[in-house]
Amino acid sequence: MPMVSLRQLCDHAAENNYGLAAFNVNNMEQIQAIMEAAKETDSPVIIQASRGARKYTNDRFLYHLMQAAVELYPKIPICLHQDHGNSPETCMSAIEQGFTSVMMDGSLKEDGKSHADFAYNVAVTKKVCQMAHAKGVSVEGELGCLGNLETGMGDKEDGHGAEGKLTREQLLTNPDEAADFVKQTGVDALAVAIGTSHGAYKFTRKPDGAILAMDRIIEIHKKLPNTHLVMHGSSSVPQALQDIINKYGGKLKQTWGVPVEEIQLGIKNGVRKINVDTDLRLAITGAIRKVFAETPEKFDPREYLAPARTAMQAVCKERMIQFGQAGQAGKIKVKPLSEIAKLYN
Ligand code: G3H
Ligand code: 13P
Ligand code: ZN
Protein backbone atom coordinates (compact mmCIF):
# COMPACT_ATOMS: atom_id res chain seq x y z
CA MET A 1 0.00 0.00 0.00
CA PRO A 2 1.19 3.59 -0.56
CA MET A 3 2.38 5.66 2.38
CA VAL A 4 -0.49 7.34 4.13
CA SER A 5 -1.13 10.94 5.17
CA LEU A 6 -1.06 11.93 8.82
CA ARG A 7 -4.55 13.36 8.40
CA GLN A 8 -5.97 10.00 7.42
CA LEU A 9 -4.36 8.26 10.40
CA CYS A 10 -5.44 10.95 12.86
CA ASP A 11 -9.00 11.02 11.50
CA HIS A 12 -9.23 7.27 12.05
CA ALA A 13 -7.73 7.63 15.52
CA ALA A 14 -10.23 10.35 16.42
CA GLU A 15 -13.17 8.31 15.15
CA ASN A 16 -12.00 5.36 17.22
CA ASN A 17 -10.67 7.20 20.30
CA TYR A 18 -7.02 6.25 20.23
CA GLY A 19 -3.62 7.92 19.94
CA LEU A 20 -0.63 7.27 17.69
CA ALA A 21 2.99 7.26 18.75
CA ALA A 22 5.22 9.18 16.35
CA PHE A 23 8.69 7.72 16.69
CA ASN A 24 11.81 9.57 15.55
CA VAL A 25 14.32 7.61 13.50
CA ASN A 26 17.90 8.04 12.34
CA ASN A 27 18.94 4.56 11.24
CA MET A 28 17.88 1.17 9.99
CA GLU A 29 17.61 -0.53 13.39
CA GLN A 30 15.13 2.07 14.63
CA ILE A 31 12.92 1.64 11.56
CA GLN A 32 13.10 -2.14 11.90
CA ALA A 33 12.21 -1.98 15.61
CA ILE A 34 9.15 0.17 14.96
CA MET A 35 7.96 -1.95 12.03
CA GLU A 36 8.36 -5.23 13.92
CA ALA A 37 6.44 -3.79 16.88
CA ALA A 38 3.73 -2.63 14.47
CA LYS A 39 3.52 -6.08 12.90
CA GLU A 40 3.33 -7.74 16.32
CA THR A 41 0.50 -5.45 17.42
CA ASP A 42 -1.23 -4.66 14.09
CA SER A 43 -0.57 -0.94 14.59
CA PRO A 44 -0.54 1.91 12.09
CA VAL A 45 2.81 3.70 12.12
CA ILE A 46 4.08 7.27 12.17
CA ILE A 47 7.80 7.50 11.55
CA GLN A 48 9.30 10.95 11.78
CA ALA A 49 12.63 12.48 10.85
CA SER A 50 14.03 15.71 12.20
CA ARG A 51 16.19 17.97 10.07
CA GLY A 52 19.15 16.44 11.89
CA ALA A 53 17.97 12.95 10.99
CA ARG A 54 17.59 13.89 7.33
CA LYS A 55 21.11 15.29 7.32
CA TYR A 56 22.49 12.23 9.14
CA THR A 57 20.88 9.82 6.68
CA ASN A 58 21.51 12.07 3.70
CA ASP A 59 17.78 11.83 2.86
CA ARG A 60 18.28 9.12 0.24
CA PHE A 61 19.17 6.39 2.72
CA LEU A 62 16.08 7.31 4.70
CA TYR A 63 14.00 7.29 1.53
CA HIS A 64 15.12 3.82 0.54
CA LEU A 65 14.84 2.42 4.08
CA MET A 66 11.26 3.64 4.11
CA GLN A 67 10.64 2.01 0.72
CA ALA A 68 11.90 -1.24 2.27
CA ALA A 69 9.49 -0.81 5.18
CA VAL A 70 6.58 -0.27 2.78
CA GLU A 71 7.58 -3.33 0.75
CA LEU A 72 8.19 -5.64 3.72
CA TYR A 73 5.11 -4.65 5.77
CA PRO A 74 2.33 -4.35 3.17
CA LYS A 75 -0.44 -4.56 5.78
CA ILE A 76 0.81 -1.67 7.91
CA PRO A 77 -0.22 1.89 6.97
CA ILE A 78 2.88 4.06 7.34
CA CYS A 79 3.08 7.84 7.51
CA LEU A 80 6.47 9.52 7.02
CA HIS A 81 6.52 12.88 8.78
CA GLN A 82 9.00 15.79 8.82
CA ASP A 83 9.53 16.68 12.47
CA HIS A 84 10.10 20.37 13.34
CA GLY A 85 10.39 21.81 9.85
CA ASN A 86 11.91 25.27 10.32
CA SER A 87 10.81 26.85 7.04
CA PRO A 88 8.53 26.32 4.03
CA GLU A 89 11.67 25.30 2.06
CA THR A 90 12.44 22.47 4.52
CA CYS A 91 8.85 21.25 4.27
CA MET A 92 8.87 21.41 0.48
CA SER A 93 12.11 19.44 0.28
CA ALA A 94 10.58 16.79 2.55
CA ILE A 95 7.57 16.50 0.26
CA GLU A 96 9.93 16.07 -2.69
CA GLN A 97 11.58 13.20 -0.76
CA GLY A 98 8.25 11.40 -0.40
CA PHE A 99 7.20 12.52 3.09
CA THR A 100 3.43 12.27 3.50
CA SER A 101 3.24 14.80 6.31
CA VAL A 102 5.23 17.82 7.41
CA MET A 103 5.49 19.91 10.54
CA MET A 104 5.94 23.62 10.00
CA ASP A 105 7.17 24.74 13.39
CA GLY A 106 6.55 28.47 13.13
CA SER A 107 6.52 28.91 16.90
CA LEU A 108 10.23 29.55 16.36
CA LYS A 109 11.99 31.56 13.69
CA GLU A 110 13.98 29.82 10.98
CA ASP A 111 17.06 29.58 13.26
CA GLY A 112 15.05 27.14 15.41
CA LYS A 113 15.87 29.13 18.57
CA SER A 114 14.20 32.54 18.63
CA HIS A 115 10.58 32.89 19.65
CA ALA A 116 8.44 33.94 16.65
CA ASP A 117 5.30 36.06 16.88
CA PHE A 118 1.79 34.91 16.01
CA ALA A 119 1.65 36.73 12.64
CA TYR A 120 4.92 35.10 11.47
CA ASN A 121 3.71 31.69 12.61
CA VAL A 122 0.38 32.07 10.78
CA ALA A 123 2.07 33.29 7.59
CA VAL A 124 4.62 30.46 7.26
CA THR A 125 2.20 27.75 8.36
CA LYS A 126 -0.50 28.89 5.96
CA LYS A 127 2.00 28.92 3.11
CA VAL A 128 3.01 25.32 3.89
CA CYS A 129 -0.64 24.23 4.11
CA GLN A 130 -1.32 25.63 0.66
CA MET A 131 1.68 23.82 -0.87
CA ALA A 132 1.25 20.55 1.02
CA HIS A 133 -2.51 20.16 0.77
CA ALA A 134 -2.37 20.53 -3.01
CA LYS A 135 -0.44 17.22 -2.93
CA GLY A 136 -2.55 15.58 -0.23
CA VAL A 137 0.29 15.92 2.30
CA SER A 138 -0.72 16.80 5.87
CA VAL A 139 0.56 19.70 7.95
CA GLU A 140 1.20 19.94 11.66
CA GLY A 141 1.63 23.41 13.14
CA GLU A 142 2.84 24.46 16.59
CA LEU A 143 1.62 27.26 18.78
CA GLY A 144 3.33 28.13 22.06
CA CYS A 145 6.95 27.33 22.90
CA LEU A 146 7.96 24.02 24.44
CA GLY A 147 9.78 24.55 27.69
CA ASN A 148 9.96 23.86 31.37
CA LEU A 149 7.34 25.31 33.70
CA GLU A 150 9.57 24.53 36.71
CA THR A 151 12.38 26.81 35.50
CA GLY A 152 10.73 28.93 32.80
CA MET A 153 13.52 27.95 30.43
CA GLY A 154 12.89 27.28 26.74
CA ASP A 155 13.57 23.88 25.25
CA LYS A 156 16.98 24.26 23.68
CA GLU A 157 18.52 21.03 25.01
CA ASP A 158 18.44 19.22 21.69
CA GLY A 159 18.59 22.21 19.41
CA HIS A 160 14.86 22.35 18.69
CA GLY A 161 13.69 24.93 21.13
CA ALA A 162 13.60 28.51 22.29
CA GLU A 163 16.65 29.88 24.05
CA GLY A 164 16.51 31.62 27.39
CA LYS A 165 13.76 32.36 29.87
CA LEU A 166 10.16 32.62 28.69
CA THR A 167 7.00 33.76 30.43
CA ARG A 168 4.49 31.15 31.61
CA GLU A 169 2.11 32.42 28.91
CA GLN A 170 4.75 31.89 26.18
CA LEU A 171 5.28 28.38 27.53
CA LEU A 172 1.59 27.47 27.32
CA THR A 173 -0.61 27.45 24.25
CA ASN A 174 -3.42 29.99 24.56
CA PRO A 175 -6.75 28.31 23.68
CA ASP A 176 -8.25 31.40 21.98
CA GLU A 177 -5.12 31.91 19.91
CA ALA A 178 -5.16 28.21 19.05
CA ALA A 179 -8.67 28.50 17.62
CA ASP A 180 -7.68 31.57 15.60
CA PHE A 181 -4.47 29.86 14.41
CA VAL A 182 -6.27 26.76 13.15
CA LYS A 183 -8.91 28.87 11.40
CA GLN A 184 -6.35 31.07 9.66
CA THR A 185 -3.88 28.34 8.64
CA GLY A 186 -5.99 25.24 7.98
CA VAL A 187 -3.53 22.89 9.73
CA ASP A 188 -4.46 19.23 10.09
CA ALA A 189 -2.87 18.86 13.51
CA LEU A 190 -1.70 21.27 16.18
CA ALA A 191 1.23 20.78 18.54
CA VAL A 192 0.56 22.42 21.87
CA ALA A 193 2.88 23.63 24.62
CA ILE A 194 1.90 22.33 28.06
CA GLY A 195 5.20 22.15 29.94
CA THR A 196 6.82 19.23 28.14
CA SER A 197 10.26 19.57 26.62
CA HIS A 198 12.52 17.46 24.43
CA GLY A 199 15.20 15.16 25.77
CA ALA A 200 15.64 13.23 29.00
CA TYR A 201 15.54 16.12 31.48
CA LYS A 202 11.89 17.17 31.47
CA PHE A 203 10.99 17.29 35.16
CA THR A 204 12.89 17.12 38.46
CA ARG A 205 10.03 15.21 40.08
CA LYS A 206 7.03 13.17 38.99
CA PRO A 207 4.99 15.89 37.27
CA ASP A 208 1.70 17.18 38.64
CA GLY A 209 -0.64 19.82 37.22
CA ALA A 210 1.66 22.67 38.28
CA ILE A 211 4.39 21.63 35.86
CA LEU A 212 2.52 19.50 33.31
CA ALA A 213 -0.55 21.48 32.26
CA MET A 214 -2.89 18.76 31.01
CA ASP A 215 -5.77 21.11 31.83
CA ARG A 216 -4.62 23.24 28.85
CA ILE A 217 -5.19 20.30 26.54
CA ILE A 218 -8.69 19.89 27.91
CA GLU A 219 -9.42 23.61 27.37
CA ILE A 220 -7.97 23.62 23.85
CA HIS A 221 -9.88 20.49 22.92
CA LYS A 222 -13.13 22.14 24.07
CA LYS A 223 -12.45 25.08 21.72
CA LEU A 224 -11.18 22.89 18.88
CA PRO A 225 -13.00 19.55 19.13
CA ASN A 226 -12.21 18.70 15.49
CA THR A 227 -8.49 19.51 15.51
CA HIS A 228 -6.02 16.73 16.11
CA LEU A 229 -3.71 17.72 18.97
CA VAL A 230 -0.05 16.71 19.18
CA MET A 231 2.08 16.26 22.29
CA HIS A 232 5.80 16.83 21.76
CA GLY A 233 8.46 15.94 24.28
CA SER A 234 6.35 12.99 25.36
CA SER A 235 8.83 10.31 26.18
CA SER A 236 8.13 8.76 29.56
CA VAL A 237 11.83 8.33 30.41
CA PRO A 238 11.18 5.04 32.25
CA GLN A 239 13.11 4.51 35.47
CA ALA A 240 14.09 1.02 34.32
CA LEU A 241 15.84 2.41 31.22
CA GLN A 242 17.64 5.07 33.28
CA ASP A 243 18.77 2.33 35.68
CA ILE A 244 20.14 0.06 32.93
CA ILE A 245 22.21 2.89 31.48
CA ASN A 246 23.60 3.87 34.89
CA LYS A 247 24.21 0.26 35.94
CA TYR A 248 26.46 -0.24 32.94
CA GLY A 249 28.60 2.86 33.25
CA GLY A 250 26.28 5.67 32.16
CA LYS A 251 25.91 8.89 34.10
CA LEU A 252 22.32 10.05 33.75
CA LYS A 253 21.03 12.34 36.47
CA GLN A 254 17.75 11.25 38.04
CA THR A 255 14.90 12.61 35.90
CA TRP A 256 11.18 12.22 35.14
CA GLY A 257 9.33 12.13 31.83
CA VAL A 258 5.67 12.34 30.88
CA PRO A 259 3.73 9.57 32.67
CA VAL A 260 1.81 7.31 30.29
CA GLU A 261 -1.41 7.88 32.27
CA GLU A 262 -1.17 11.63 31.52
CA ILE A 263 -0.79 10.85 27.82
CA GLN A 264 -3.83 8.58 28.06
CA LEU A 265 -5.76 11.50 29.59
CA GLY A 266 -4.61 13.60 26.62
CA ILE A 267 -5.86 10.93 24.21
CA LYS A 268 -9.30 11.16 25.83
CA ASN A 269 -9.13 14.90 25.10
CA GLY A 270 -8.16 15.17 21.45
CA VAL A 271 -4.47 14.16 21.44
CA ARG A 272 -3.87 11.96 18.40
CA LYS A 273 -0.09 12.14 17.84
CA ILE A 274 2.43 11.60 20.62
CA ASN A 275 6.08 12.28 19.83
CA VAL A 276 8.60 9.82 21.24
CA ASP A 277 12.31 9.96 20.53
CA THR A 278 14.19 9.93 23.84
CA ASP A 279 12.73 6.61 25.06
CA LEU A 280 14.16 4.83 22.02
CA ARG A 281 17.50 6.57 22.54
CA LEU A 282 17.55 5.35 26.14
CA ALA A 283 16.63 1.81 25.09
CA ILE A 284 19.33 1.58 22.42
CA THR A 285 21.99 3.04 24.72
CA GLY A 286 21.15 0.80 27.68
CA ALA A 287 21.28 -2.36 25.57
CA ILE A 288 24.58 -1.45 23.93
CA ARG A 289 26.16 -0.45 27.27
CA LYS A 290 25.10 -3.80 28.74
CA VAL A 291 26.80 -5.79 25.98
CA PHE A 292 29.94 -3.66 26.18
CA ALA A 293 30.12 -3.94 29.97
CA GLU A 294 29.38 -7.67 30.22
CA THR A 295 31.32 -8.86 27.19
CA PRO A 296 34.04 -6.31 26.45
CA GLU A 297 35.71 -8.77 24.11
CA LYS A 298 32.86 -8.44 21.56
CA PHE A 299 33.34 -6.24 18.52
CA ASP A 300 30.84 -7.47 15.93
CA PRO A 301 28.28 -4.63 15.69
CA ARG A 302 25.47 -7.14 15.19
CA GLU A 303 26.13 -8.46 18.67
CA TYR A 304 25.19 -5.15 20.24
CA LEU A 305 22.86 -3.66 17.60
CA ALA A 306 20.54 -6.69 17.63
CA PRO A 307 19.83 -6.44 21.40
CA ALA A 308 19.52 -2.66 20.99
CA ARG A 309 16.90 -3.21 18.30
CA THR A 310 15.05 -5.71 20.49
CA ALA A 311 15.04 -3.20 23.38
CA MET A 312 13.61 -0.46 21.14
CA GLN A 313 10.99 -2.83 19.75
CA ALA A 314 9.82 -3.56 23.30
CA VAL A 315 9.37 0.18 24.00
CA CYS A 316 7.48 0.68 20.71
CA LYS A 317 5.21 -2.28 21.39
CA GLU A 318 4.43 -1.04 24.89
CA ARG A 319 3.52 2.47 23.68
CA MET A 320 1.43 1.13 20.78
CA ILE A 321 -0.64 -0.87 23.24
CA GLN A 322 -0.84 1.95 25.81
CA PHE A 323 -1.90 4.55 23.24
CA GLY A 324 -4.58 2.25 21.77
CA GLN A 325 -3.28 2.05 18.20
CA ALA A 326 -2.69 -1.72 18.55
CA GLY A 327 -5.22 -3.70 16.55
CA GLN A 328 -6.12 -0.75 14.27
CA ALA A 329 -3.84 -1.17 11.23
CA GLY A 330 -6.05 -3.66 9.44
CA LYS A 331 -9.13 -1.46 9.87
CA ILE A 332 -7.76 1.52 7.91
CA LYS A 333 -8.65 1.77 4.24
CA VAL A 334 -5.68 3.72 2.94
CA LYS A 335 -6.43 6.41 0.36
CA PRO A 336 -3.71 7.61 -2.02
CA LEU A 337 -2.52 11.20 -1.52
CA SER A 338 -4.18 12.22 -4.81
CA GLU A 339 -7.57 11.31 -3.29
CA ILE A 340 -6.74 13.12 -0.06
CA ALA A 341 -5.74 16.26 -2.00
CA LYS A 342 -9.28 16.52 -3.40
CA LEU A 343 -10.72 16.72 0.13
CA TYR A 344 -9.00 20.08 0.76
CA ASN A 345 -10.71 21.85 -2.17
O1 G3H B 1 12.37 17.13 18.22
C1 G3H B 1 13.32 16.54 18.63
C2 G3H B 1 13.63 15.17 18.28
O2 G3H B 1 13.96 14.49 19.45
C3 G3H B 1 14.71 15.07 17.23
O3 G3H B 1 15.95 15.43 17.72
O4 G3H B 1 17.20 16.96 16.14
O5 G3H B 1 18.39 15.45 17.71
O6 G3H B 1 17.19 14.55 15.72
P1 G3H B 1 17.25 15.60 16.77
P1 13P C 1 11.11 13.27 23.46
O1 13P C 1 12.45 13.91 23.56
O2 13P C 1 10.34 13.42 24.74
O3 13P C 1 11.16 11.90 23.00
O4 13P C 1 10.27 14.11 22.37
C1 13P C 1 10.46 13.93 20.99
C2 13P C 1 9.77 14.96 20.18
O5 13P C 1 8.93 15.71 20.63
C3 13P C 1 10.14 15.03 18.75
O6 13P C 1 9.53 16.08 18.10
ZN1 ZN D 1 9.23 17.92 19.11
Side-chain angles (χ1 to χ4, degrees):
M1 75 172 75
M3 280 205 277
V4 59
S5 77
L6 178 70
R7 181 61 186 255
Q8 213 203 327
L9 290 189
C10 288
D11 282 352
H12 190 266
E15 281 155 25
N16 297 282
N17 303 310
Y18 65 92
L20 295 146
F23 295 111
N24 287 76
V25 299
N26 293 275
N27 66 14
M28 179 181 77
E29 284 77 8
Q30 289 177 309
I31 295 174
Q32 290 174 327
I34 297 163
M35 294 313 302
E36 278 300 302
K39 188 177 166 189
E40 262 192 282
T41 59
D42 186 39
S43 296
V45 161
I46 303 171
I47 285 181
Q48 56 188 8
S50 66
R51 280 191 298 141
R54 286 180 58 194
K55 196 169 164 203
Y56 181 78
T57 57
N58 190 18
D59 265 344
R60 299 310 293 160
F61 280 103
L62 179 65
Y63 174 83
H64 287 285
L65 287 170
M66 291 308 299
Q67 292 310 308
V70 167
E71 184 187 314
L72 293 170
Y73 300 86
K75 294 188 179 150
I76 304 291
I78 307 171
C79 167
L80 177 60
H81 175 81
Q82 163 79 58
D83 192 24
H84 292 284
N86 64 327
S87 66
E89 292 69 34
T90 297
C91 295
M92 204 55 215
S93 72
I95 295 169
E96 282 161 8
Q97 292 292 332
F99 283 61
T100 54
S101 178
V102 293
M103 175 185 193
M104 176 62 238
D105 182 357
S107 70
L108 300 169
K109 294 202 186 130
E110 198 167 334
D111 64 8
K113 293 177 192 153
S114 333
H115 181 251
D117 64 26
F118 185 78
Y120 170 90
N121 196 351
V122 168
V124 287
T125 308
K126 192 171 170 180
K127 186 171 174 187
V128 171
C129 284
Q130 284 162 350
M131 295 183 321
H133 288 169
K135 296 177 187 296
V137 170
S138 316
V139 180
E140 173 185 335
E142 175 165 326
L143 188 64
C145 278
L146 294 198
N148 189 311
L149 293 173
E150 287 179 273
T151 60
M153 296 305 283
D155 174 40
K156 74 163 175 42
E157 183 191 333
D158 61 1
H160 275 290
E163 273 182 335
K165 212 165 168 86
L166 299 170
T167 65
R168 190 173 168 92
E169 271 322 298
Q170 283 175 320
L171 289 169
L172 291 172
T173 304
N174 175 298
D176 291 320
E177 268 189 9
D180 194 14
F181 183 80
V182 170
K183 194 168 161 210
Q184 288 198 50
T185 58
V187 283
D188 301 282
L190 180 69
V192 292
I194 53 163
T196 64
S197 49
H198 295 116
Y201 298 105
K202 302 181 193 304
F203 305 108
T204 60
R205 59 184 165 88
K206 186 170 186 227
D208 56 20
I211 54 176
L212 176 59
M214 295 306 296
D215 53 343
R216 276 290 159 131
I217 293 217
I218 296 171
E219 277 182 71
I220 296 166
H221 181 53
K222 279 193 186 133
K223 291 236 180 249
L224 286 168
N226 300 319
T227 299
H228 304 306
L229 303 180
V230 182
M231 283 174 68
H232 280 248
S234 289
S235 278
S236 298
V237 194
Q239 189 64 49
L241 294 182
Q242 295 182 49
D243 291 346
I244 292 175
I245 290 176
N246 286 338
K247 179 172 174 192
Y248 295 105
K251 281 199 167 55
L252 291 179
K253 285 176 282 167
Q254 178 61 48
T255 180
W256 279 264
V258 183
V260 166
E261 63 270 21
E262 301 290 358
I263 296 170
Q264 288 167 333
L265 173 66
I267 293 169
K268 289 199 178 95
N269 289 281
V271 171
R272 299 296 157 223
K273 174 171 179 279
I274 302 106
N275 286 11
V276 175
D277 185 353
T278 297
D279 283 352
L280 298 197
R281 294 181 181 191
L282 294 172
I284 198 171
T285 300
I288 290 175
R289 278 193 174 282
K290 184 168 188 286
V291 175
F292 284 174
E294 287 180 345
T295 45
E297 70 281 6
K298 284 189 175 168
F299 60 90
D300 178 345
R302 291 170 296 189
E303 293 192 279
Y304 51 86
L305 290 176
R309 189 171 57 191
T310 303
M312 289 190 288
Q313 185 178 330
V315 174
C316 294
K317 181 179 174 184
E318 197 179 18
R319 295 291 172 274
M320 286 166 171
I321 293 168
Q322 290 164 329
F323 298 167
Q325 73 204 85
Q328 299 290 341
K331 299 181 188 160
I332 300 170
K333 305 266 168 293
V334 171
K335 291 193 188 121
L337 293 188
S338 54
E339 285 293 306
I340 299 286
K342 290 183 199 151
L343 303 174
Y344 290 108
N345 294 322

